[in-house]
Each structure stands twice: as structure tokens, then as C-alpha cells.
Amino acid sequence: MRRRVIALLLGSIMVLLAACGKSDNNDNANDAENGETVTNNVEIEDIVRDVETAYGEEFVATNVLDNQTIKELMGIDPDWCEELYASNSMIGMHKDTFIAVKAKPEDLEKVKDAVTAYRENMVADTMQYPMNVEKIQASRVDVYGNYVFFTLLGFIPNEVEEQGEDKILAAYQEQNQKAVDVIEGYLK
């Protein structure tokens, strides 16, 4: 009887080990947002480096935030993340911000909700910096697999600023697209 119990226990342990051996961090994951397959083994630091390079001297979100500040300012709990990066501008009138998160699969919705709420709060609070209204409205939240990004980056020429709100908004959307192109180059 004892041997049967031991054999049953060993068999159960082997089944559990086999199940645990299947990685949750597949090289590819299905993006629930749009059904596309995305790469799931990219380092956040590689994406950040290339986003900074894409903007060159116009990347002013150089104030890298620590985890406690990210949690207090943006509502993203570091415990929800496999990797977490956020930076903003040190100059208050520049609202440039870049957030890049590789969420733990079980906490992806929490991260998406926090980043979306952060963006919505910025949009609602644009009257504090009226010169940034269109820039903040052009900001975006993008999700690829377990990765969540917030992009509010770039500058536009003065002559565009003289062409009205729609042109300004479109120009800032193009500026944010630079970061999205880098991100998609890695993840799609």
C-alpha cells in the first residue's frame, strides 16, 4: 500500500513538474487587443535606448523615475511588472513622458488600467499647461502582448504651431508615432 501511495505521489509530482516546465514567457504571445502575435522576450532597456535614439536631442524625457515615484505618480505597482521604466522631463513646462512596462501576465489588466488612468488624468488636467493641450491629447497608450507603453514625446516646428489645433494635434501624433515604430519593430 505504501508503495502505491509513493508511486501515486511521484506521478503527481512529475505531472506538476511537467506543467510548470511549460513556460508562461513564450517567445511569442497573442496580443489580446488585436489578435496579432508579438515577440515576448524583448528587453525594455533595448526599446528605451532605441526610442531615445529615434528622437535624438529632442528626447527630453531624460528624468528616469524610481519605482516608488512611478507608483505614486502613475499608479503602476512595480510588483505587477517583470520590467518597468518611466521617465519624464525635468522641465515642468515640457510634459514629455515615456512609460514602458513588461507586465506579469496575471497583472496585465492592472497595468493597462493604471497607464490609461494616468493618461486620462493628464488629458483632464491640460488647463494647467494650456500650451501642451494638443501634445497631451496626442499621447497614446499601446499594448502588445504583456507590454504596455505610454508615449508623450517630441517637438513640432513653430510654423506648425501657427496653423491651428488640428495641425498641431496631427504633428504631435506623428511625433509619437516615431516611438511606436521603434516599439513595433521589436515586438511585431
Side-chain angles (χ1 to χ4, degrees):
M1 181 69 170
R2 181 180 285 176
R3 286 185 183 170
R4 286 184 185 166
V5 170
I6 291 173
L8 183 59
L9 284 172
L10 286 175
S12 299
I13 290 171
M14 289 177 66
V15 168
L16 284 173
L17 288 174
C20 292
K22 294 181 181 175
S23 175
D24 287 338
N25 292 331
N26 295 332
D27 285 351
N28 294 308
N30 194 19
D31 184 352
E33 298 282 311
N34 57 21
E36 292 182 0
T37 299
V38 298
T39 304
N40 201 24
N41 62 352
V42 176
E43 301 281 331
I44 290 291
E45 98 181 30
D46 293 336
I47 294 172
V48 170
R49 180 195 62 237
D50 286 355
V51 166
E52 289 176 5
T53 300
Y55 288 90
E57 292 179 7
E58 292 182 348
F59 188 86
V60 297
T62 57
N63 182 38
V64 179
L65 305 175
D66 62 61
N67 286 349
Q68 185 63 33
T69 304
I70 293 170
K71 186 175 182 178
E72 290 170 4
L73 184 63
M74 300 165 176
I76 305 166
D77 190 326
D79 291 339
W80 302 338
C81 309
E82 291 180 18
E83 294 179 68
L84 173 61
Y85 170 89
S87 64
N88 60 14
S89 175
M90 294 178 89
I91 301 170
M93 66 182 211
H94 294 297
K95 302 314 291 174
D96 289 50
T97 305
F98 186 63
I99 301 171
V101 180
K102 183 176 183 185
K104 293 177 180 174
E106 64 273 16
D107 294 316
L108 176 61
E109 289 302 316
K110 293 176 192 173
V111 172
K112 284 194 310 190
D113 291 347
V115 174
T116 300
Y118 176 73
R119 180 188 180 278
E120 289 170 354
N121 288 336
M122 285 190 82
V123 169
D125 198 31
T126 56
M127 294 320 293
Q128 188 173 21
Y129 295 96
M131 71 259 196
N132 288 316
V133 169
E134 292 85 6
K135 185 171 189 170
I136 293 170
Q137 289 174 344
S139 68
R140 54 189 291 167
V141 176
D142 293 287
V143 179
Y144 306 90
N146 292 336
Y147 294 86
V148 181
F149 299 90
F150 173 76
T151 309
L152 173 58
L153 299 170
F155 288 96
I156 60 172
N158 288 336
E159 52 271 10
V160 173
E161 290 182 2
E162 297 167 1
Q163 296 177 9
E165 294 174 10
D166 291 342
K167 294 285 186 182
I168 295 169
L169 182 63
Y172 278 124
Q173 288 169 336
E174 287 177 24
Q175 286 294 303
N176 286 323
Q177 190 62 44
K178 285 188 205 177
V180 173
D181 290 344
V182 169
I183 293 163
E184 290 182 351
Y186 274 99
L187 298 177
K188 283 190 167 187

